[in-house]
Amino acid sequence: MKTASPGTKAKICEAAISLFTSQGFRGTTIRQIAQKADVNIALISYHFGGKKGLLEELVMSFYEGYVRRLEVVYHTSTKETARGALMELTEKLLSYQKNNLELARFVHREMTLDSTLIRELMSTYLAKEKYYLNAFFEKGIKRREFKRQSVDLLSVQYKEMIVLPFLQPLYLTEVFHLPVGENVFYRDYQKWINSWIERFVCVPEKKPSILSNVLFGSVQEKWGG
Amino acid sequence: MKTASPGTKAKICEAAISLFTSQGFRGTTIRQIAQKADVNIALISYHFGGKKGLLEELVMSFYEGYVRRLEVVYHTSTKETARGALMELTEKLLSYQKNNLELARFVHREMTLDSTLIRELMSTYLAKEKYYLNAFFEKGIKRREFKRQSVDLLSVQYKEMIVLPFLQPLYLTEVFHLPVGENVFYRDYQKWINSWIERFVCVPEKKPSILSNVLFGSVQEKWGG
């Protein structure tokens, strides 16, 4: 019998993501995962307690990393402005998902289903996501950088844009002819979200006079302050 | 052998939608559909040429009705304003999906997958959807009712909001505590989209003077004109 090595869990996860993505969760057996990962089937039960446990672990590990990025940018961004911090967040969330592409696609799709597990994960991770997104927008509104409006609406729209290339990649390739998955795509897509931030979220910039820059330019609090 | 009646196709479709939704397309057999619809299995092949044909028919019939609403409102709305026509469209698209709830949920989820069939459907129906949405926004911009901005961005955001309660109902119930599926939900959700139209899409209204109302009130072209 093959024994657990530090890489075993990772190998099992990788095999599971790939099979769940191509065959669906229901269409995949524990045996197929063991075969693809080249591990003994008993190790999957040992590490994850079965197929459902494996799914839970995958979704949780995705959202742990996702929510951590929200927390980190919110609490430690060194950007001067709310606008800058939100753009930094966009870059972080897109590149996190890009670096975990198959997992991101699988998790977002899985979250469109209805089950007790999904409901639990929703009320844990997506509630945290909403909490931080609302906090970003509220802070920007308080600083008078963002227009006063429903933060729930802003959070939903922002979240949908962040998730779109992973939940509905074909929609962007077939209908908008965007090269989803290529590096150039992420750069352009980020610009797209930034243009949304500039136009929909921010108070239109008044060209500041040199005098007001001198007088008020340096008193503005930093984001992280 | 049971023979085809006018209701047979409808019965088969209904059974298929329900099984595809609960068990997934891959997890459903033709035999199960025949059993649930209480028809002879041969009739499914006769009417649809098999499971894949049935899926195609379901998705196509959903989008035929969906796109028809876009066309009809675009060409025949009697609203005075682009804003009014867009709000009418919102009402029509939400109630169409609400009246075909299981089908709408199934189709939107199916469209997140990747297959040759899905790609074809994308480049037919969702390209048409984009064409009409862009046309709505372009017309509003041309009439100076809508702010000048990327119509692609507007179309994507509008479409995502229209689809959200059907693609990600749990997200709205578990995270935003909205009573998705109840009548009161659709009314409130429509108000939410309307507030997006007012704030994000429309040029902020200047309070017109009585004089300008008298002078210009009646010359404005109607939407359908």
Side-chain angles (χ1 to χ4, degrees), chain A residues 97-161:
Chain A
Q97 294 180 97
K98 178 183 164 231
N99 294 333
N100 297 277
L101 193 60
E102 276 206 302
L103 182 59
R105 286 191 180 165
F106 171 70
V107 167
H108 291 313
R109 246 201 125 236
E110 206 56 29
M111 296 303 270
T112 65
L113 286 174
D114 190 350
S115 73
T116 315
L117 173 62
I118 300 296
R119 279 175 192 259
E120 280 169 17
L121 293 165
M122 284 270 173
S123 52
T124 310
Y125 295 108
L126 294 191
K128 264 194 203 163
E129 180 198 37
K130 180 199 164 202
Y131 170 83
Y132 276 105
L133 290 181
N134 280 11
F136 267 96
F137 291 117
E138 276 157 10
K139 197 163 173 180
I141 291 171
K142 208 175 139 217
R143 294 163 60 116
R144 305 202 180 169
E145 280 185 59
F146 293 171
K147 286 180 251 186
R148 184 167 296 281
Q149 55 193 326
S150 160
V151 289
D152 277 358
L153 187 56
L154 289 171
S155 293
V156 168
Q157 292 204 312
Y158 181 78
K159 181 229 160 65
E160 290 303 307
M161 281 193 292

Side-chain angles (χ1 to χ4, degrees), chain A residues 22-24 26 109-110 112-115 118-119 122-123 126-127 129-130 147-150 152-154 156-157 159-161 164 167-168 170-171 174-176 192 195-196 199-200, chain B residues 22-24 26 109-110 112-115 118-119 122-123 126-127 129-130 147-150 152-154 156-157 159-161 164 167-168 170-171 174-176 192 195-196 199-200:
Chain A
S22 59
Q23 310 178 175
R26 277 200 206 83
R109 246 201 125 236
E110 206 56 29
T112 65
L113 286 174
D114 190 350
S115 73
I118 300 296
R119 279 175 192 259
M122 284 270 173
S123 52
L126 294 191
E129 180 198 37
K130 180 199 164 202
K147 286 180 251 186
R148 184 167 296 281
Q149 55 193 326
S150 160
D152 277 358
L153 187 56
L154 289 171
V156 168
Q157 292 204 312
K159 181 229 160 65
E160 290 303 307
M161 281 193 292
L164 187 63
L167 178 60
Q168 302 176 73
L170 265 196
Y171 176 58
E174 300 300 307
V175 181
F176 289 88
W192 219 41
S195 84
W196 175 82
R199 286 170 166 277
F200 287 103
Chain B
S22 58
Q23 312 178 170
R26 276 199 207 84
R109 248 204 122 233
E110 206 55 31
T112 65
L113 287 174
D114 190 351
S115 74
I118 300 296
R119 280 176 192 258
M122 284 270 174
S123 52
L126 295 191
E129 180 198 37
K130 181 197 162 202
K147 286 181 253 189
R148 183 167 298 281
Q149 55 194 328
S150 159
D152 276 359
L153 187 55
L154 290 171
V156 168
Q157 293 204 313
K159 181 231 161 63
E160 290 302 308
M161 282 194 292
L164 187 63
L167 179 59
Q168 301 175 74
L170 266 196
Y171 176 58
E174 299 300 306
V175 181
F176 289 88
W192 218 41
S195 84
W196 175 82
R199 284 168 167 278
F200 287 104

Side-chain angles (χ1 to χ4, degrees), chain A residues 27-90:
Chain A
T28 304
T29 64
I30 283 281
R31 189 169 300 277
Q32 289 172 322
I33 300 171
Q35 259 169 11
K36 192 170 174 96
D38 193 24
V39 301
N40 190 296
I41 198 166
L43 280 178
I44 301 183
S45 307
Y46 172 74
H47 283 298
F48 303 99
K51 199 171 77 163
K52 209 188 139 219
L54 185 46
L55 171 72
E56 199 171 334
E57 172 101 5
L58 287 175
V59 176
M60 281 170 62
S61 77
F62 174 77
Y63 277 121
E64 290 287 348
Y66 183 93
V67 169
R68 203 176 315 123
R69 274 147 189 87
L70 278 158
E71 285 170 350
V72 166
V73 178
Y74 185 76
H75 291 299
T76 68
S77 174
T78 56
K79 302 288 182 207
E80 300 268 329
T81 59
R83 179 179 152 281
L86 196 58
M87 288 179 180
E88 183 185 339
L89 180 68
T90 306

Side-chain angles (χ1 to χ4, degrees), chain B residues 135-165:
Chain B
F136 267 95
F137 291 116
E138 275 157 11
K139 195 161 172 182
I141 290 171
K142 209 175 139 216
R143 293 163 60 116
R144 305 203 180 169
E145 280 185 59
F146 293 170
K147 286 181 253 189
R148 183 167 298 281
Q149 55 194 328
S150 159
V151 289
D152 276 359
L153 187 55
L154 290 171
S155 293
V156 168
Q157 293 204 313
Y158 181 79
K159 181 231 161 63
E160 290 302 308
M161 282 194 292
I162 290 291
V163 161
L164 187 63

Side-chain angles (χ1 to χ4, degrees), chain B residues 72-104:
Chain B
V72 166
V73 178
Y74 185 76
H75 291 297
T76 67
S77 174
T78 57
K79 302 287 181 208
E80 299 269 327
T81 59
R83 179 180 152 282
L86 196 57
M87 288 179 181
E88 182 185 340
L89 180 67
T90 305
E91 195 269 317
K92 290 282 195 310
L93 292 179
L94 288 178
S95 67
Y96 174 67
Q97 294 180 98
K98 179 183 163 233
N99 294 335
N100 296 277
L101 194 60
E102 277 205 300
L103 182 59

